[in-house]
Short mmCIF file of all heavy atoms in Angstrom, two decimals:
data_model
loop_
_atom_site.label_atom_id
_atom_site.label_comp_id
_atom_site.label_asym_id
_atom_site.label_seq_id
_atom_site.Cartn_x
_atom_site.Cartn_y
_atom_site.Cartn_z
N MET Y 151 124.07 84.12 111.06
CA MET Y 151 125.26 84.68 111.55
C MET Y 151 126.38 84.60 110.46
O MET Y 151 126.49 83.63 109.75
CB MET Y 151 125.72 83.89 112.90
CG MET Y 151 124.70 84.03 113.91
SD MET Y 151 124.53 85.70 114.70
CE MET Y 151 125.61 85.58 116.00
N GLN Y 152 127.23 85.48 110.56
CA GLN Y 152 128.26 85.56 109.55
C GLN Y 152 129.65 85.95 110.23
O GLN Y 152 129.64 86.72 111.19
CB GLN Y 152 127.91 86.68 108.47
CG GLN Y 152 129.01 86.69 107.26
CD GLN Y 152 128.37 87.20 106.07
OE1 GLN Y 152 127.18 87.10 105.83
NE2 GLN Y 152 129.28 87.87 105.32
N SER Y 153 130.74 85.43 109.70
CA SER Y 153 131.88 85.75 110.28
C SER Y 153 132.40 87.14 110.02
O SER Y 153 132.07 87.79 108.98
CB SER Y 153 132.93 84.90 109.81
OG SER Y 153 132.95 83.57 110.09
N ILE Y 154 132.90 87.98 111.04
CA ILE Y 154 133.29 89.24 110.86
C ILE Y 154 134.87 89.36 110.99
O ILE Y 154 135.44 88.73 111.80
CB ILE Y 154 132.61 90.23 111.96
CG1 ILE Y 154 131.12 89.90 112.07
CG2 ILE Y 154 133.04 91.60 111.80
CD1 ILE Y 154 130.36 90.29 110.88
N HIS Y 155 135.50 90.11 110.13
CA HIS Y 155 136.87 90.26 110.15
C HIS Y 155 137.28 91.63 110.37
O HIS Y 155 136.50 92.61 110.27
CB HIS Y 155 137.46 89.88 108.64
CG HIS Y 155 136.83 88.38 108.30
ND1 HIS Y 155 137.33 87.30 108.72
CD2 HIS Y 155 135.89 88.16 107.43
CE1 HIS Y 155 136.61 86.40 108.28
NE2 HIS Y 155 135.70 86.86 107.39
N ASN Y 156 138.63 91.76 110.72
CA ASN Y 156 139.12 93.08 110.91
C ASN Y 156 138.96 93.93 109.61
O ASN Y 156 139.11 93.50 108.57
CB ASN Y 156 140.68 92.97 111.12
CG ASN Y 156 141.05 92.79 112.69
OD1 ASN Y 156 140.20 93.24 113.47
ND2 ASN Y 156 142.16 92.38 113.00
N GLY Y 157 138.63 95.20 110.01
CA GLY Y 157 138.25 96.16 108.86
C GLY Y 157 136.77 96.29 108.76
O GLY Y 157 136.29 97.31 108.07
N GLN Y 158 136.00 95.44 109.44
CA GLN Y 158 134.45 95.47 109.10
C GLN Y 158 134.00 96.12 110.44
O GLN Y 158 134.49 95.95 111.59
CB GLN Y 158 133.93 94.04 108.98
CG GLN Y 158 134.35 93.46 107.52
CD GLN Y 158 133.73 92.15 107.29
OE1 GLN Y 158 133.76 91.27 108.13
NE2 GLN Y 158 132.94 92.13 106.22
N CYS Y 159 132.80 96.85 110.31
CA CYS Y 159 132.18 97.56 111.37
C CYS Y 159 132.10 96.79 112.61
O CYS Y 159 132.28 97.41 113.72
CB CYS Y 159 130.94 98.14 110.89
SG CYS Y 159 131.05 99.27 109.42
N GLY Y 160 131.71 95.54 112.55
CA GLY Y 160 131.50 94.82 113.79
C GLY Y 160 132.62 94.73 114.76
O GLY Y 160 132.39 94.58 116.02
N LEU Y 161 133.83 94.90 114.25
CA LEU Y 161 135.05 94.93 115.18
C LEU Y 161 135.66 96.22 115.14
O LEU Y 161 136.73 96.34 115.83
CB LEU Y 161 136.05 93.80 114.52
CG LEU Y 161 135.62 92.47 114.45
CD1 LEU Y 161 136.82 91.51 113.86
CD2 LEU Y 161 135.12 91.89 115.72
N CYS Y 162 134.93 97.26 114.88
CA CYS Y 162 135.46 98.62 114.82
C CYS Y 162 134.96 99.35 116.15
O CYS Y 162 133.91 99.20 116.63
CB CYS Y 162 135.01 99.40 113.69
SG CYS Y 162 135.46 101.13 113.63
N GLY Y 163 135.96 100.08 116.78
CA GLY Y 163 135.70 100.78 117.88
C GLY Y 163 134.66 101.84 117.80
O GLY Y 163 134.14 102.34 118.71
N HIS Y 164 134.33 102.21 116.65
CA HIS Y 164 133.32 103.30 116.32
C HIS Y 164 131.95 102.68 116.26
O HIS Y 164 130.98 103.45 116.16
CB HIS Y 164 133.56 104.10 115.13
CG HIS Y 164 134.90 104.98 115.19
ND1 HIS Y 164 135.09 105.90 116.06
CD2 HIS Y 164 136.05 104.92 114.45
CE1 HIS Y 164 136.25 106.51 116.06
NE2 HIS Y 164 136.93 105.89 114.95
N PHE Y 165 131.75 101.41 116.12
CA PHE Y 165 130.44 100.75 115.93
C PHE Y 165 129.75 100.88 117.29
O PHE Y 165 130.00 100.22 118.18
CB PHE Y 165 130.65 99.34 115.44
CG PHE Y 165 129.46 98.68 115.05
CD1 PHE Y 165 128.70 99.08 114.02
CD2 PHE Y 165 129.06 97.39 115.58
CE1 PHE Y 165 127.59 98.39 113.48
CE2 PHE Y 165 127.94 96.71 115.13
CZ PHE Y 165 127.14 97.23 114.15
N GLY Y 166 128.66 101.62 117.16
CA GLY Y 166 127.87 101.80 118.37
C GLY Y 166 128.51 102.55 119.66
O GLY Y 166 128.12 102.33 120.72
N GLU Y 167 129.55 103.24 119.22
CA GLU Y 167 130.40 103.76 120.45
C GLU Y 167 129.68 104.88 121.16
O GLU Y 167 130.03 105.28 122.31
CB GLU Y 167 131.68 104.22 119.97
CG GLU Y 167 131.79 105.57 119.16
CD GLU Y 167 133.18 106.08 118.78
OE1 GLU Y 167 134.07 105.70 119.48
OE2 GLU Y 167 133.08 106.90 117.89
N LYS Y 168 128.56 105.44 120.68
CA LYS Y 168 127.95 106.47 121.34
C LYS Y 168 126.92 106.07 122.40
O LYS Y 168 126.42 106.94 123.09
CB LYS Y 168 127.14 107.37 120.26
CG LYS Y 168 127.91 108.03 119.33
CD LYS Y 168 128.89 109.18 119.89
CE LYS Y 168 129.57 109.93 118.83
NZ LYS Y 168 130.63 110.72 119.36
N HIS Y 169 126.85 104.75 122.47
CA HIS Y 169 125.91 104.34 123.53
C HIS Y 169 126.71 103.23 124.35
O HIS Y 169 127.77 102.80 123.94
CB HIS Y 169 124.51 103.80 123.16
CG HIS Y 169 124.69 102.65 122.05
ND1 HIS Y 169 125.06 101.30 122.37
CD2 HIS Y 169 124.59 102.61 120.67
CE1 HIS Y 169 125.23 100.59 121.32
NE2 HIS Y 169 124.95 101.29 120.28
N ALA Y 170 126.15 102.79 125.56
CA ALA Y 170 126.76 101.84 126.37
C ALA Y 170 127.05 100.52 125.62
O ALA Y 170 126.09 100.23 124.71
CB ALA Y 170 126.06 101.60 127.59
N ARG Y 171 128.10 99.86 125.86
CA ARG Y 171 128.25 98.60 125.09
C ARG Y 171 127.30 97.58 125.41
O ARG Y 171 127.14 97.12 126.61
CB ARG Y 171 129.74 98.13 125.34
CG ARG Y 171 130.10 96.96 124.51
CD ARG Y 171 131.62 96.59 124.63
NE ARG Y 171 132.40 97.55 123.92
CZ ARG Y 171 133.68 97.30 123.78
NH1 ARG Y 171 134.26 96.22 124.43
NH2 ARG Y 171 134.49 98.12 123.08
N THR Y 172 126.57 97.10 124.51
CA THR Y 172 125.42 96.20 124.61
C THR Y 172 125.93 94.68 124.67
O THR Y 172 127.02 94.53 124.06
CB THR Y 172 124.35 96.22 123.57
OG1 THR Y 172 124.98 96.01 122.34
CG2 THR Y 172 123.78 97.62 123.51
N PRO Y 173 125.21 93.82 125.31
CA PRO Y 173 125.72 92.37 125.23
C PRO Y 173 125.91 91.91 123.77
O PRO Y 173 126.82 91.23 123.43
CB PRO Y 173 124.55 91.63 125.79
CG PRO Y 173 123.95 92.65 126.86
CD PRO Y 173 124.11 94.00 126.24
N GLN Y 174 125.11 92.40 122.89
CA GLN Y 174 125.24 92.07 121.47
C GLN Y 174 126.66 92.51 120.83
O GLN Y 174 127.19 91.65 120.17
CB GLN Y 174 124.09 92.76 120.68
CG GLN Y 174 123.71 92.24 119.28
CD GLN Y 174 122.56 92.77 118.66
OE1 GLN Y 174 122.18 93.83 119.06
NE2 GLN Y 174 122.10 92.16 117.71
N LEU Y 175 127.05 93.81 121.32
CA LEU Y 175 128.21 94.25 120.69
C LEU Y 175 129.52 93.34 121.42
O LEU Y 175 130.35 93.01 120.68
CB LEU Y 175 128.51 95.58 121.08
CG LEU Y 175 127.71 96.68 120.27
CD1 LEU Y 175 127.98 98.01 120.70
CD2 LEU Y 175 127.86 96.50 118.79
N VAL Y 176 129.27 93.04 122.62
CA VAL Y 176 130.31 92.21 123.26
C VAL Y 176 130.35 90.85 122.68
O VAL Y 176 131.48 90.34 122.50
CB VAL Y 176 130.01 92.12 124.74
CG1 VAL Y 176 131.07 91.11 125.46
CG2 VAL Y 176 130.09 93.45 125.48
N THR Y 177 129.32 90.20 122.39
CA THR Y 177 129.21 88.90 121.67
C THR Y 177 129.92 88.98 120.37
O THR Y 177 130.68 88.11 119.91
CB THR Y 177 127.74 88.38 121.50
OG1 THR Y 177 127.24 88.41 122.82
CG2 THR Y 177 127.81 87.17 120.81
N ILE Y 178 129.62 90.09 119.66
CA ILE Y 178 130.34 90.11 118.20
C ILE Y 178 131.93 90.17 118.49
O ILE Y 178 132.62 89.53 117.72
CB ILE Y 178 129.87 91.38 117.53
CG1 ILE Y 178 128.40 91.38 117.10
CG2 ILE Y 178 130.63 91.69 116.25
CD1 ILE Y 178 127.84 92.61 116.58
N LEU Y 179 132.37 90.99 119.34
CA LEU Y 179 133.76 91.06 119.62
C LEU Y 179 134.40 89.71 120.10
O LEU Y 179 135.45 89.35 119.62
CB LEU Y 179 134.13 92.23 120.60
CG LEU Y 179 133.77 93.57 120.13
CD1 LEU Y 179 134.08 94.56 121.32
CD2 LEU Y 179 134.68 93.89 119.04
N SER Y 180 133.72 88.97 120.91
CA SER Y 180 134.27 87.77 121.35
C SER Y 180 134.09 86.65 120.46
O SER Y 180 135.06 85.77 120.26
CB SER Y 180 133.68 87.44 122.72
OG SER Y 180 132.25 87.22 122.60
N SER Y 181 132.89 86.58 119.71
CA SER Y 181 132.78 85.34 118.73
C SER Y 181 133.15 85.73 117.35
O SER Y 181 133.35 84.80 116.53
CB SER Y 181 131.31 85.13 118.76
OG SER Y 181 130.55 86.05 118.16
N LYS Y 182 133.41 87.03 117.01
CA LYS Y 182 133.70 87.47 115.62
C LYS Y 182 132.63 86.89 114.57
O LYS Y 182 132.92 86.47 113.58
CB LYS Y 182 135.06 87.05 115.26
CG LYS Y 182 136.20 87.85 116.13
CD LYS Y 182 137.50 87.61 115.53
CE LYS Y 182 138.62 88.41 116.19
NZ LYS Y 182 138.42 88.75 117.61
N GLN Y 183 131.36 86.91 115.13
CA GLN Y 183 130.14 86.45 114.42
C GLN Y 183 129.09 87.53 114.57
O GLN Y 183 129.04 88.03 115.69
CB GLN Y 183 129.72 85.07 114.80
CG GLN Y 183 130.64 84.03 114.76
CD GLN Y 183 130.46 83.07 113.59
OE1 GLN Y 183 129.29 82.72 113.22
NE2 GLN Y 183 131.58 82.59 113.00
N ALA Y 184 128.36 87.84 113.68
CA ALA Y 184 127.25 88.71 113.86
C ALA Y 184 126.05 88.50 112.90
O ALA Y 184 126.18 87.93 111.85
CB ALA Y 184 127.75 90.21 113.61
N ASP Y 185 124.79 88.86 113.38
CA ASP Y 185 123.76 88.82 112.59
C ASP Y 185 123.82 90.04 111.56
O ASP Y 185 123.81 91.26 111.95
CB ASP Y 185 122.56 89.04 113.48
CG ASP Y 185 121.16 88.84 112.75
OD1 ASP Y 185 121.28 88.98 111.53
OD2 ASP Y 185 120.11 88.80 113.47
N VAL Y 186 123.88 89.76 110.33
CA VAL Y 186 124.05 90.75 109.37
C VAL Y 186 122.96 91.66 109.15
O VAL Y 186 123.11 92.78 108.42
CB VAL Y 186 124.49 90.16 107.96
CG1 VAL Y 186 125.77 89.54 108.14
CG2 VAL Y 186 123.40 89.40 107.35
N VAL Y 187 121.81 91.49 109.69
CA VAL Y 187 120.60 92.46 109.50
C VAL Y 187 120.75 93.50 110.78
O VAL Y 187 119.92 94.43 110.58
CB VAL Y 187 119.29 91.79 109.43
CG1 VAL Y 187 119.21 90.96 108.26
CG2 VAL Y 187 118.98 91.00 110.73
N MET Y 188 121.64 93.32 111.61
CA MET Y 188 121.78 94.40 112.72
C MET Y 188 122.33 95.72 112.17
O MET Y 188 123.05 95.75 111.15
CB MET Y 188 122.78 93.77 113.68
CG MET Y 188 123.13 94.73 114.75
SD MET Y 188 124.64 93.99 115.61
CE MET Y 188 124.83 95.40 116.84
N LEU Y 189 121.77 96.76 112.72
CA LEU Y 189 122.25 98.07 112.34
C LEU Y 189 122.70 98.76 113.63
O LEU Y 189 122.13 98.65 114.65
CB LEU Y 189 121.03 98.87 111.70
CG LEU Y 189 120.90 98.74 110.26
CD1 LEU Y 189 119.70 99.67 109.83
CD2 LEU Y 189 122.12 99.16 109.31
N ASP Y 190 123.79 99.63 113.61
CA ASP Y 190 124.04 100.39 114.63
C ASP Y 190 124.68 101.73 114.11
O ASP Y 190 125.16 101.79 112.97
CB ASP Y 190 125.04 99.73 115.71
CG ASP Y 190 124.83 100.21 117.10
OD1 ASP Y 190 124.37 101.45 117.20
OD2 ASP Y 190 125.14 99.40 118.01
N GLU Y 191 124.85 102.73 114.99
CA GLU Y 191 125.34 103.96 114.48
C GLU Y 191 126.83 103.95 114.48
O GLU Y 191 127.46 103.45 115.41
CB GLU Y 191 124.87 105.14 115.40
CG GLU Y 191 124.91 106.46 114.61
CD GLU Y 191 123.91 107.50 115.29
OE1 GLU Y 191 122.70 107.19 115.23
OE2 GLU Y 191 124.40 108.50 115.68
N CYS Y 192 127.41 104.49 113.48
CA CYS Y 192 128.86 104.74 113.46
C CYS Y 192 129.34 106.01 114.17
O CYS Y 192 128.77 107.06 113.85
CB CYS Y 192 129.32 104.72 111.90
SG CYS Y 192 131.16 105.34 111.87
N GLY Y 193 130.16 105.85 115.08
CA GLY Y 193 130.54 107.16 115.83
C GLY Y 193 131.77 107.82 115.33
O GLY Y 193 132.25 108.72 115.99
N HIS Y 194 132.27 107.42 114.16
CA HIS Y 194 133.47 108.05 113.66
C HIS Y 194 133.17 109.52 113.57
O HIS Y 194 131.98 109.96 113.10
CB HIS Y 194 133.79 107.42 112.21
CG HIS Y 194 135.12 107.91 111.77
ND1 HIS Y 194 135.35 109.16 111.31
CD2 HIS Y 194 136.40 107.23 111.68
CE1 HIS Y 194 136.62 109.29 110.95
NE2 HIS Y 194 137.27 108.08 111.16
N PRO Y 195 134.12 110.55 113.93
CA PRO Y 195 133.88 111.88 113.82
C PRO Y 195 133.41 112.37 112.43
O PRO Y 195 132.57 113.25 112.34
CB PRO Y 195 135.20 112.58 114.16
CG PRO Y 195 135.95 111.45 114.98
CD PRO Y 195 135.41 110.09 114.47
N LYS Y 196 133.79 111.69 111.36
CA LYS Y 196 133.42 112.18 110.00
C LYS Y 196 131.98 111.65 109.60
O LYS Y 196 131.41 112.12 108.69
CB LYS Y 196 134.41 111.58 108.97
CG LYS Y 196 135.67 112.36 109.02
CD LYS Y 196 136.58 111.91 107.87
CE LYS Y 196 137.94 112.68 107.90
NZ LYS Y 196 138.82 112.22 106.84
N HIS Y 197 131.50 110.66 110.40
CA HIS Y 197 130.24 110.20 110.07
C HIS Y 197 129.14 110.45 111.09
O HIS Y 197 127.87 110.48 110.87
CB HIS Y 197 130.26 108.60 109.93
CG HIS Y 197 131.17 108.08 108.93
ND1 HIS Y 197 131.75 106.82 109.08
CD2 HIS Y 197 131.58 108.59 107.75
CE1 HIS Y 197 132.51 106.63 107.99
NE2 HIS Y 197 132.44 107.64 107.19
N ALA Y 198 129.52 110.77 112.36
CA ALA Y 198 128.67 110.95 113.54
C ALA Y 198 127.55 111.93 113.23
O ALA Y 198 126.35 111.75 113.50
CB ALA Y 198 129.39 111.34 114.76
N ALA Y 199 127.91 113.15 112.57
CA ALA Y 199 126.94 114.16 112.34
C ALA Y 199 125.86 113.74 111.39
O ALA Y 199 124.78 114.33 111.38
CB ALA Y 199 127.65 115.36 111.86
N LEU Y 200 126.21 112.71 110.52
CA LEU Y 200 125.32 112.20 109.51
C LEU Y 200 124.43 111.11 110.13
O LEU Y 200 123.54 110.61 109.41
CB LEU Y 200 126.11 111.69 108.25
CG LEU Y 200 126.91 112.73 107.67
CD1 LEU Y 200 127.85 112.10 106.49
CD2 LEU Y 200 126.12 113.88 107.00
N HIS Y 201 124.73 110.59 111.37
CA HIS Y 201 124.02 109.53 111.92
C HIS Y 201 124.00 108.30 111.07
O HIS Y 201 123.08 107.62 110.81
CB HIS Y 201 122.62 109.95 112.39
CG HIS Y 201 122.59 111.11 113.33
ND1 HIS Y 201 122.92 111.09 114.60
CD2 HIS Y 201 122.31 112.45 113.02
CE1 HIS Y 201 122.91 112.21 115.18
NE2 HIS Y 201 122.46 113.18 114.22
N LEU Y 202 125.22 108.04 110.48
CA LEU Y 202 125.35 106.88 109.65
C LEU Y 202 125.08 105.53 110.35
O LEU Y 202 125.57 105.43 111.39
CB LEU Y 202 126.79 106.88 109.04
CG LEU Y 202 127.22 105.79 108.19
CD1 LEU Y 202 126.29 105.70 106.84
CD2 LEU Y 202 128.62 105.69 107.84
N LYS Y 203 124.17 104.81 109.82
CA LYS Y 203 123.86 103.42 110.42
C LYS Y 203 124.52 102.40 109.59
O LYS Y 203 124.43 102.37 108.23
CB LYS Y 203 122.37 103.14 110.39
CG LYS Y 203 121.67 104.22 111.16
CD LYS Y 203 121.45 103.86 112.52
CE LYS Y 203 120.33 104.73 113.16
NZ LYS Y 203 120.12 104.46 114.51
N VAL Y 204 125.30 101.44 110.11
CA VAL Y 204 126.04 100.50 109.37
C VAL Y 204 125.67 99.08 109.91
O VAL Y 204 125.23 99.01 110.96
CB VAL Y 204 127.50 100.74 109.46
CG1 VAL Y 204 127.89 102.01 108.65
CG2 VAL Y 204 128.01 100.94 110.85
N THR Y 205 125.91 98.10 109.15
CA THR Y 205 125.77 96.60 109.55
C THR Y 205 127.15 96.11 110.06
O THR Y 205 128.23 96.74 109.68
CB THR Y 205 125.35 95.73 108.47
OG1 THR Y 205 126.38 95.61 107.56
CG2 THR Y 205 124.14 96.36 107.67
N PRO Y 206 127.26 95.07 110.74
CA PRO Y 206 128.51 94.59 111.18
C PRO Y 206 129.47 94.17 110.00
O PRO Y 206 130.63 94.12 110.18
CB PRO Y 206 128.07 93.29 111.96
CG PRO Y 206 126.69 93.50 112.52
CD PRO Y 206 126.05 94.36 111.31
N ILE Y 207 128.90 93.89 108.72
CA ILE Y 207 129.80 93.58 107.76
C ILE Y 207 130.11 94.71 106.84
O ILE Y 207 130.83 94.52 105.88
CB ILE Y 207 129.17 92.49 106.90
CG1 ILE Y 207 127.86 92.76 106.27
CG2 ILE Y 207 129.12 91.11 107.72
CD1 ILE Y 207 127.36 91.89 105.24
N SER Y 208 129.71 95.90 107.20
CA SER Y 208 130.05 97.25 106.46
C SER Y 208 131.42 97.41 106.89
O SER Y 208 132.10 96.84 107.69
CB SER Y 208 129.18 98.38 106.88
OG SER Y 208 127.82 98.10 106.49
N GLY Y 209 132.06 98.58 106.29
CA GLY Y 209 133.37 98.93 106.59
C GLY Y 209 133.81 100.24 105.94
O GLY Y 209 133.07 100.73 105.07
N CYS Y 210 134.81 100.77 106.44
CA CYS Y 210 135.40 102.03 105.80
C CYS Y 210 136.84 102.15 106.16
O CYS Y 210 137.32 101.47 107.07
CB CYS Y 210 134.62 103.22 106.05
SG CYS Y 210 135.04 104.02 107.64
N ASP Y 211 137.52 103.11 105.57
CA ASP Y 211 138.95 103.39 106.07
C ASP Y 211 139.14 104.01 107.37
O ASP Y 211 140.22 104.09 107.84
CB ASP Y 211 139.68 104.30 104.93
CG ASP Y 211 139.88 103.53 103.63
OD1 ASP Y 211 139.73 102.19 103.53
OD2 ASP Y 211 140.18 104.22 102.57
N GLY Y 212 138.09 104.37 108.02
CA GLY Y 212 138.14 104.80 109.44
C GLY Y 212 138.17 103.80 110.44
O GLY Y 212 138.20 104.03 111.57
N PHE Y 213 138.29 102.55 110.02
CA PHE Y 213 138.34 101.45 110.96
C PHE Y 213 139.48 101.57 112.03
O PHE Y 213 140.62 101.87 111.64
CB PHE Y 213 138.44 100.07 110.22
CG PHE Y 213 138.63 98.84 111.16
CD1 PHE Y 213 137.42 98.24 111.44
CD2 PHE Y 213 139.86 98.43 111.70
CE1 PHE Y 213 137.55 97.11 112.40
CE2 PHE Y 213 139.99 97.31 112.44
CZ PHE Y 213 138.74 96.68 112.82
N VAL Y 214 139.14 101.29 113.34
CA VAL Y 214 139.99 101.19 114.34
C VAL Y 214 139.51 99.96 115.10
O VAL Y 214 138.36 99.82 115.42
CB VAL Y 214 140.02 102.41 115.32
CG1 VAL Y 214 140.62 103.59 114.58
CG2 VAL Y 214 138.71 102.85 115.94
N PRO Y 215 140.46 99.20 115.54
CA PRO Y 215 140.02 97.89 116.21
C PRO Y 215 139.46 98.20 117.59
O PRO Y 215 139.91 99.13 118.34
CB PRO Y 215 141.41 97.13 116.52
CG PRO Y 215 142.39 97.82 115.54
CD PRO Y 215 141.90 99.10 115.29
N ALA Y 216 138.24 97.63 117.88
CA ALA Y 216 137.57 97.86 119.13
C ALA Y 216 138.44 97.25 120.26
O ALA Y 216 138.97 96.15 120.11
CB ALA Y 216 136.25 97.25 119.04
N ALA Y 217 138.53 97.80 121.50
CA ALA Y 217 139.09 97.23 122.58
C ALA Y 217 138.18 96.02 123.00
O ALA Y 217 137.06 96.12 123.01
CB ALA Y 217 139.23 98.22 123.76
N GLN Y 218 138.89 94.86 123.40
CA GLN Y 218 138.15 93.73 123.77
C GLN Y 218 137.44 94.11 125.14
O GLN Y 218 138.02 94.79 125.94
CB GLN Y 218 139.13 92.59 123.96
CG GLN Y 218 139.64 92.05 122.66
CD GLN Y 218 138.61 91.39 121.71
OE1 GLN Y 218 137.66 90.78 122.24
NE2 GLN Y 218 138.68 91.65 120.46
N ALA Y 219 136.27 93.45 125.30
CA ALA Y 219 135.53 93.68 126.53
C ALA Y 219 136.29 93.01 127.80
O ALA Y 219 136.83 92.01 127.64
CB ALA Y 219 134.14 93.11 126.38
S1 LIG H 289 131.81 102.93 109.04
FE1 LIG H 289 134.06 102.82 109.32
S2 LIG H 289 134.44 103.99 111.19
FE2 LIG H 289 132.21 103.53 111.16
S3 LIG H 289 132.05 101.67 112.34
FE3 LIG H 289 132.27 101.05 110.22
S4 LIG H 289 134.48 100.63 109.95
FE4 LIG H 289 134.24 101.93 111.86
#
């Protein structure tokens, strides 16, 4: 497990936003820790058509803070 900080995909509202929020995503938001081998799809409009898969420690300038569960 690794600490996740603001600006990283694990805390971004676009991380896995195309599917229902899983317990794993909720846990990342509440603990700010994630398994770095996890992959999920980025739902940012500029990436969604490409089906970009990112890890919780990835990031980009499209970051928006995820709403807390
Ligand atoms: S790639 Fe950018 S927009 Fe997509 S989940 Fe990560 S920080 Fe958010």
Side-chain angles (χ1 to χ4, degrees):
M151 299 292 262
Q152 185 160 328
S153 294
I154 309 298
H155 306 285
N156 268 341
Q158 293 183 302
C159 296
L161 298 183
C162 178
H164 294 300
F165 189 57
E167 73 174 341
K168 296 293 186 193
H169 58 73
R171 190 172 278 186
T172 61
Q174 197 174 16
L175 289 180
V176 173
T177 299
I178 293 172
L179 290 176
S180 60
S181 70
K182 296 187 171 35
Q183 302 255 321
D185 185 344
V186 297
V187 298
M188 172 193 182
L189 274 180
D190 210 333
E191 198 160 304
C192 169
H194 189 287
K196 289 187 177 176
H197 300 153
L200 301 173
H201 303 288
L202 177 66
K203 302 266 195 186
V204 290
T205 74
I207 59 168
S208 301
C210 84
D211 288 346
F213 176 89
V214 290
Q218 291 294 324

